[in-house]
Amino acid sequence: MDNQYDKNEKMKLIGFRKPALGSGRHKVEVTQKVRKPAEDTFKKTEYFYVASRAYTLDADTIFSVSPSENECGDFSRQIPFITLKNETMPWEYTIAEEINGVPVPWAALIVIAEGEEAEESDITVEKLLGDKQPRLFFPDRSLLPKVTAEKGTDCCHVVDISRQLYLSIMPTFEEMTYLTHGKRVDLADTEDEVTAMNGDFSVIMANRFIPTGEKEMQKSTVHLVSMLGMPEKIPDGYDKIRLVSLHRFSVFSARSQSETFASLIEKLSRNTGVIGYDQEKEVLKKGYVPKKHYTRSGEMTYSLYRSPFLPYEGPGSRIGPKHTADGYLVYDPENGIFDVSYAAAFQMGRLAALSRKPEGALMVSYRKKQKLKMHRRMLEENLKPADIYEAVKNMPGM
């Protein structure tokens, strides 16, 4: 595994990140040899445990999920994933032999659609380990970690699914090695609370596209489940399998016919000046489209808007420098409506600048320097040489 990181790289994917000391029992052996007063050898063996969470997950461990929790949209072509702040979490336990030199993660991400006969409940860890139900498979206690960070009275979340559903949605051990990876990201240009992080994360992906309704929103629940003690093949004689859900979030997906590739290309041919040269109106030939425009006083009207990437000179090229978005509103007397293209570009640029604190600070510093230069130039034009010297030497930064 290559852990080297070039500072010029913005992101680097890493196959896996083994912890320095994994969870479980460890042994320390110490040997000391002495020569005086007589040669002798002393040996000491000590055992200790490294305890990690096995049935719950600290909410602060989650950096982000995709799609966002309770997000609605067309996710028919999207595979959900979860990003964890702990870069070694998926490999803290050993559940199987390494596959092609890659350790098998102990957690997997699965997607369960509403109506797929999944039963969820909250139970204590003690009940989870001692609850033996006929026809319900859960790993034997002897196969699970002996020591964990949870107590028996702690609550955990479990999901019971049918054997058929388990076989259809659960990734194999080999697939899990490809669905999990580490990621190192340069966070220098991010927000303050993110910049403080070290930039090392772990990512777990699902092996299934999000189920999507054809006309109505279909709810799906994405579970990060523990695979501790789980065999790669479930024994016969069980109708249901119980999984421990470490984290879960819901998404809603419906297929959107208006957002297919074909429909986007069709819209492109209608709304651009280059492809839509055969439009009847001259204003439409230049790429303008009418858009709803809500004024500051609340009234709704229509205004013209066009993309900046069109081979036509717009009226904004003749507008002097303005300091507000409204200053870039251009009235079109021929059609009796406003052109909001330059105003929208001004507003979008301002919002983009405000969302990036480092760049925003540089812009403020630049504007201050420019104002200072203008002030000095004004002094040079209006004051005598002796007065200029006295005024300039007292300026900030002189």
Side-chain angles (χ1 to χ4, degrees):
M1 176 182 60
D2 181 13
N3 278 328
Q4 298 300 317
Y5 184 60
D6 186 350
K7 291 184 178 180
N8 295 322
E9 292 179 335
K10 291 297 182 181
M11 184 184 72
K12 182 176 183 178
L13 299 180
I14 303 171
F16 59 90
R17 297 290 300 272
K18 277 187 175 181
L21 206 59
S23 300
R25 190 186 188 199
H26 298 271
K27 180 174 70 172
V28 176
E29 292 182 342
V30 179
T31 302
Q32 183 180 18
K33 293 183 179 181
V34 297
R35 296 181 179 179
K36 293 182 179 181
E39 289 190 0
D40 200 354
T41 301
F42 300 91
K43 292 184 178 182
K44 181 69 173 179
T45 301
E46 291 288 343
Y47 293 91
F48 67 94
Y49 284 88
V50 175
S52 299
R53 292 178 176 269
Y55 309 106
T56 58
L57 191 64
D58 189 350
D60 189 55
T61 305
I62 309 298
F63 178 75
S64 66
V65 296
S66 180
S68 301
E69 186 168 4
N70 293 322
E71 186 175 356
C72 301
D74 182 0
F75 304 118
S76 57
R77 296 180 180 274
Q78 183 166 339
I79 294 178
F81 63 89
I82 184 170
T83 304
L84 306 170
K85 297 178 185 178
N86 185 345
E87 69 269 22
T88 63
M89 178 271 183
W91 304 280
E92 289 180 348
Y93 289 100
T94 301
I95 65 170
E97 296 291 332
E98 293 186 356
I99 300 176
N100 298 325
V102 180
V104 180
W106 69 276
L109 201 65
I110 61 174
V111 184
I112 301 176
E114 190 173 33
E116 289 186 327
E117 300 180 359
E119 300 177 4
E120 300 184 35
S121 59
D122 293 319
I123 61 176
T124 64
V125 173
E126 184 177 8
K127 184 178 180 181
L128 172 70
L129 300 180
D131 188 14
K132 293 291 184 180
Q133 299 182 26
R135 316 293 295 182
L136 175 65
F137 177 82
F138 187 74
D140 188 84
R141 193 166 191 164
S142 61
L143 301 175
L144 297 170
K146 303 295 186 297
V147 178
T148 65
E150 297 95 349
K151 298 180 294 186
T153 55
D154 288 344
C155 190
C156 64
H157 190 80
V158 298
V159 54
D160 299 338
I161 61 178
S162 66
R163 182 189 186 92
Q164 181 179 2
L165 179 61
Y166 180 90
L167 296 176
S168 63
I169 68 172
M170 187 59 62
T172 65
F173 285 0
E174 183 176 5
E175 290 173 344
M176 288 167 59
T177 63
Y178 292 105
L179 295 170
T180 310
H181 63 270
K183 181 166 67 173
R184 183 171 292 171
V185 185
D186 181 7
L187 302 177
D189 296 334
T190 56
E191 301 295 335
D192 293 344
E193 61 273 12
V194 180
T195 304
M197 301 180 184
N198 60 12
D200 288 320
F201 302 92
S202 56
V203 180
I204 304 178
M205 304 173 60
N207 66 333
R208 180 188 188 188
F209 290 112
I210 296 176
T212 302
E214 291 298 327
K215 295 182 179 179
E216 298 181 354
M217 288 289 177
Q218 182 172 0
K219 178 183 177 181
S220 297
T221 304
V222 184
H223 291 272
L224 179 65
V225 297
S226 168
M227 297 298 290
L228 291 174
M230 298 293 293
E232 191 162 15
K233 183 179 180 181
I234 300 296
D236 295 332
Y238 295 96
D239 298 329
K240 289 188 175 182
I241 291 86
R242 171 164 290 177
L243 297 168
V244 176
S245 178
L246 304 170
H247 184 77
R248 63 194 183 280
F249 61 96
S250 298
V251 294
F252 299 82
S253 181
R255 201 174 303 278
S256 175
Q257 299 296 333
S258 61
E259 296 182 359
T260 63
F261 179 77
S263 64
L264 291 175
I265 291 298
E266 184 179 354
K267 289 182 180 179
L268 187 65
S269 67
R270 294 198 305 264
N271 294 338
T272 62
V274 176
I275 300 178
Y277 63 91
D278 56 346
Q279 297 286 351
E280 295 180 0
K281 299 289 185 180
E282 188 67 25
V283 69
L284 298 180
K285 287 184 178 181
K286 292 186 176 182
Y288 283 99
V289 291
K291 295 288 185 181
K292 288 183 180 180
H293 180 191
Y294 292 92
T295 65
R296 292 185 181 276
S297 56
E299 293 88 354
M300 194 278 286
T301 182
Y302 284 89
S303 296
L304 295 175
Y305 175 80
R306 65 169 223 166
S307 165
F309 300 109
L310 292 176
Y312 300 105
E313 180 184 7
S317 59
R318 299 184 294 274
I319 300 176
K322 305 292 183 181
H323 301 288
T324 63
D326 287 350
Y328 284 98
L329 288 174
V330 181
Y331 182 71
D332 182 356
E334 182 180 350
N335 296 286
I337 58 178
F338 280 102
D339 177 358
V340 299
S341 304
Y342 286 86
F346 179 94
Q347 184 76 348
M348 184 170 60
R350 184 175 67 170
L351 292 175
L354 291 174
S355 67
R356 306 283 295 183
K357 290 185 179 180
E359 286 80 357
L362 291 174
M363 292 175 64
V364 171
S365 176
Y366 174 78
R367 293 179 66 179
K368 287 182 178 179
K369 290 180 180 179
Q370 295 304 310
K371 288 183 178 179
L372 186 59
K373 288 182 179 179
M374 292 176 61
H375 188 56
R376 287 175 176 170
R377 192 180 304 115
M378 180 191 69
L379 291 176
E380 293 175 357
E381 294 174 354
N382 295 283
L383 297 180
K384 297 178 181 179
D387 297 331
I388 294 174
Y389 174 76
E390 292 296 329
V392 171
K393 77 175 183 179
N394 293 322
M395 285 184 179
M398 298 302 294

